[in-house]
Amino acid sequence: MARKPRVVDIPSIGMLDRAGGRLGRQLAQALREAVRKGDLLPGDSLPSSRALAQSLDIARGTVIEAFEQLLAEGVLETQQRVGTRVANSLAAPPQGEGGRGRHAAIAQPLSLSARAVALAKVAQEFNPLPHVPFAVSVPVGSAQPGEAWRKLGNRIRARGKGAPAGYGEPQGVRVLREAVADYVRRSRSVRCSPDQIIITSGIQQALYLCCQILFEDGDEVWVEDPAYRGITAILEHVARGARVIRVPVDAEGIMVESGIAAAGQARAAFVTPSHQYPLGMPMSMARRNALLDWAGKHDAWIVEDDYDSELRYAGHPFPSLQGMDAGRVVYLGTFSKILFPSLRLGYAVVPEGLEAAFCGARVLMDRHPPSFDQHVLAAFINEGYLDRHVRRIRGVYAERREQLIEMIDRLVPRDLAWLQPSDQGMHVVLWLARRVDDRAIVAALLAAGVAVRPVSPMFSDGKGRPGLILGLGDFDRPRVEAAIKQLTAVLSTIGRA
């Protein structure tokens, strides 16, 4: 399909040298250079001779002279009702047909810093998965917020709330912070005022802010082993001055005594107590008390990543660490998982005295989240839609989880893979036999239209175990069963090779 012509300004022409004379030739050469450099592309429409003459403050006849010369050379072409434009015949032939592209001859390899190379690899790790089984955090069907979200958005837009204006509060709009404070009090036993809440662009940004604020270069920091790659990547590539201590987990969560033995004077601990990521177990009450006791004695911070605590399928969600000791815990939550990932709204509940530091760090990143979505989310919470939505999706994901477990038990050979016990969250972990390369399995499945994540990169060096993270999505039963059969076929091919 031909590209639609566009009328373009030509800033690269600049000012013509009036003292040099021959303005028509100067203009023709400037236009040639603009085409050669790619500032003007084949098919681009030029301003009319009258408009260009006015903008350059020269005679219209001078512009016509330049146009006529370039028409004769084949650089420009003219067509009725279209006007004068860069000749389409100048388009470079496609790659593989004898052409190398407009800039291929002069392209030079970029000289990247070591950090740039490392961050490029991080980008590959976090590439979004397609909307297919078993992508994590991809709500489809009945797991989506539905019409209520759209209607609230239309109503708030009509009333002017959140309309484009000046800069907003870096802490987030007050009405949302008030709604979040009430919601976490009811659902998670979090004790806070709206002034302690910082609205963030999801938990990932909140983790980044914590790493900017809670410790200095040279400080020791506990991180679970295995752990969410989002926090380990920040500590590896951004907060590189910290000494990261990987603390193993067992059936009761993070092994506090191991952390104390390795680095008792650590300044912060990053934990997922409600639903350890990625393995799924909750932290026992004894471990919670031990962790808080250690933090109190050593003036350390605890960062509580509570990424999907709403989705527990047996009993009630566990109370938060923050509710047990609000002075030592930074509590992080998100609405991206239970609503939709592209929303990019989360929150940090910070101890009193840290609010200004978090606001300052937030201002240096992106000022504040988009105001409109904050107003919509506040209404969604205050009018009871969020509570109803959580109850509904808890049932949806519970049913999908039972189906997935049944299919894995029935279709996947036990000598190749088995499930990690868990009764909460939006994913399950499928352990693989030690001889299996989980990254190879992930690549083969993606090529076959099945999306999973590998577990081994979430462990510290030398401690990795092969496994797969399978997200729970509202895909119909035949599609999920087809995906499990595809997984089994790939496992059998690679695992028995």
Side-chain angles (χ1 to χ4, degrees):
M1 180 182 295
R3 186 168 61 88
K4 184 178 180 180
R6 59 191 180 104
V7 178
V8 295
D9 294 322
I10 318 170
S12 59
I13 288 180
M15 298 298 292
L16 301 179
D17 180 10
R18 299 178 186 282
R22 298 187 175 182
L23 295 182
R25 289 191 179 186
Q26 288 188 48
L27 179 57
Q29 180 58 30
L31 289 169
R32 287 191 200 95
E33 279 296 298
V35 172
R36 186 187 68 81
K37 292 188 298 183
D39 295 338
L40 289 173
L41 299 176
D44 280 349
S45 293
L46 273 63
S48 69
S49 59
R50 189 182 306 277
L52 188 55
Q54 185 177 4
S55 67
L56 295 175
D57 193 22
I58 60 178
R60 184 185 177 199
T62 302
V63 176
I64 293 174
E65 175 191 339
F67 279 9
E68 288 178 345
Q69 178 61 34
L70 295 176
L71 285 167
E73 295 176 8
V75 175
L76 302 181
E77 62 187 17
T78 186
Q79 188 175 347
Q80 191 174 7
R81 296 181 182 177
V82 174
T84 304
R85 63 186 181 185
V86 180
N88 279 306
S89 60
L90 296 179
Q95 298 288 337
E97 296 182 16
R100 299 179 60 197
R102 177 181 297 276
H103 300 293
I106 60 173
Q108 298 293 328
L110 294 175
S111 178
L112 299 179
S113 67
R115 179 178 290 193
V117 172
L119 288 173
K121 292 179 181 178
V122 172
Q124 293 176 348
E125 286 187 73
F126 284 85
N127 278 339
L129 295 175
H131 290 207
V132 297
F134 300 97
V136 179
S137 302
V138 178
V140 293
S142 56
Q144 297 183 82
E147 282 293 292
W149 184 270
R150 184 186 64 80
K151 290 178 179 178
L152 283 174
N154 290 341
R155 189 184 79 196
I156 288 169
R157 187 178 289 108
R159 293 180 180 177
K161 291 181 180 178
Y167 289 118
E169 302 171 71
Q171 203 165 347
V173 299
R174 180 83 187 181
V175 66
L176 178 56
R177 288 188 282 121
E178 290 173 345
V180 171
D182 181 64
Y183 173 70
V184 295
R185 174 189 58 80
R186 292 184 287 105
S187 64
R188 303 294 297 114
S189 300
V190 170
R191 296 182 287 120
C192 69
S193 74
D195 293 330
Q196 292 174 254
I197 293 174
I198 315 294
I199 302 301
T200 66
S201 299
I203 277 186
Q204 188 64 40
Q205 186 184 65
L207 289 169
Y208 193 103
L209 292 172
C210 288
C211 290
Q212 299 297 310
I213 294 167
L214 300 182
F215 48 85
E216 306 283 353
D217 287 355
D219 284 343
E220 295 173 319
V221 178
W222 292 5
V223 178
E224 295 169 326
D225 195 9
Y228 171 52
R229 273 294 291 153
I231 181 58
T232 56
I234 292 172
L235 291 167
E236 289 168 8
H237 301 293
V238 180
R240 298 186 297 174
R243 183 179 168 222
V244 180
I245 308 299
R246 300 299 297 269
V247 183
V249 300
D250 62 12
E252 295 187 58
I254 190 170
M255 300 171 67
V256 178
E257 290 302 320
S258 296
I260 294 172
Q265 301 299 319
R267 191 74 175 108
F270 290 83
V271 294
T272 49
S274 293
H275 183 220
Q276 200 281 331
Y277 192 89
L279 303 186
M281 74 284 290
M283 189 185 298
S284 69
M285 188 56 66
R287 294 279 175 83
R288 291 168 186 250
N289 288 330
L291 184 63
L292 291 169
D293 182 64
W294 163 78
K297 288 180 178 177
H298 296 279
D299 191 28
W301 301 108
I302 297 171
V303 180
E304 180 177 11
D305 180 351
D306 206 12
Y307 62 97
D308 68 355
S309 60
E310 291 92 347
L311 298 177
R312 187 160 187 253
Y313 307 115
H316 299 286
F318 290 93
S320 65
L321 280 173
Q322 193 274 357
M324 299 171 67
D325 188 348
R328 304 261 31 117
V329 179
V330 178
Y331 176 88
L332 310 182
T334 182
F335 296 102
S336 297
K337 289 239 182 338
I338 57 175
L339 292 175
F340 44 93
S342 61
L343 178 62
R344 306 315 309 144
L345 283 178
Y347 53 92
V349 179
V350 306
E352 291 181 350
L354 278 180
E355 302 96 334
F358 271 81
C359 285
R362 179 65 200 270
V363 164
L364 295 179
M365 293 187 72
D366 63 353
R367 292 275 185 170
H368 58 82
S371 298
F372 176 74
D373 284 341
Q374 293 185 69
H375 283 282
V376 178
L377 178 56
F380 196 78
I381 297 171
N382 288 332
E383 297 182 27
Y385 290 107
L386 180 63
D387 289 335
R388 293 194 290 273
H389 175 73
V390 168
R391 288 194 294 270
R392 178 166 56 82
I393 65 170
R394 190 181 290 142
V396 170
Y397 285 123
E399 181 180 352
R400 296 297 179 259
R401 176 177 170 273
E402 289 301 318
Q403 288 181 1
L404 182 59
I405 291 172
E406 182 273 324
M407 291 178 193
I408 289 174
D409 286 343
R410 174 165 51 88
L411 298 172
V412 179
R414 294 289 181 87
D415 65 320
L416 289 177
W418 56 94
L419 283 168
Q420 165 76 27
S422 175
D423 65 357
Q424 183 172 313
M426 301 177 72
H427 73 270
V428 298
V429 170
L430 185 68
W431 291 117
L432 306 181
R434 290 279 184 178
R435 64 182 180 276
V436 180
D437 181 349
D438 56 357
R439 299 188 202 215
I441 297 292
V442 167
L445 285 174
L446 189 59
V450 179
V452 295
R453 296 280 191 194
V455 174
S456 62
M458 300 179 189
F459 284 87
S460 57
D461 291 343
K463 302 252 182 100
R465 291 179 57 189
L468 304 175
I469 294 178
L470 280 63
L472 305 176
D474 189 24
F475 299 102
D476 60 43
R477 185 183 181 93
R479 191 172 183 188
V480 173
E481 183 157 353
I484 290 292
K485 289 178 179 178
Q486 185 66 58
L487 186 152
T488 301
V490 169
L491 268 177
S492 299
T493 300
I494 295 178
R496 302 191 193 283

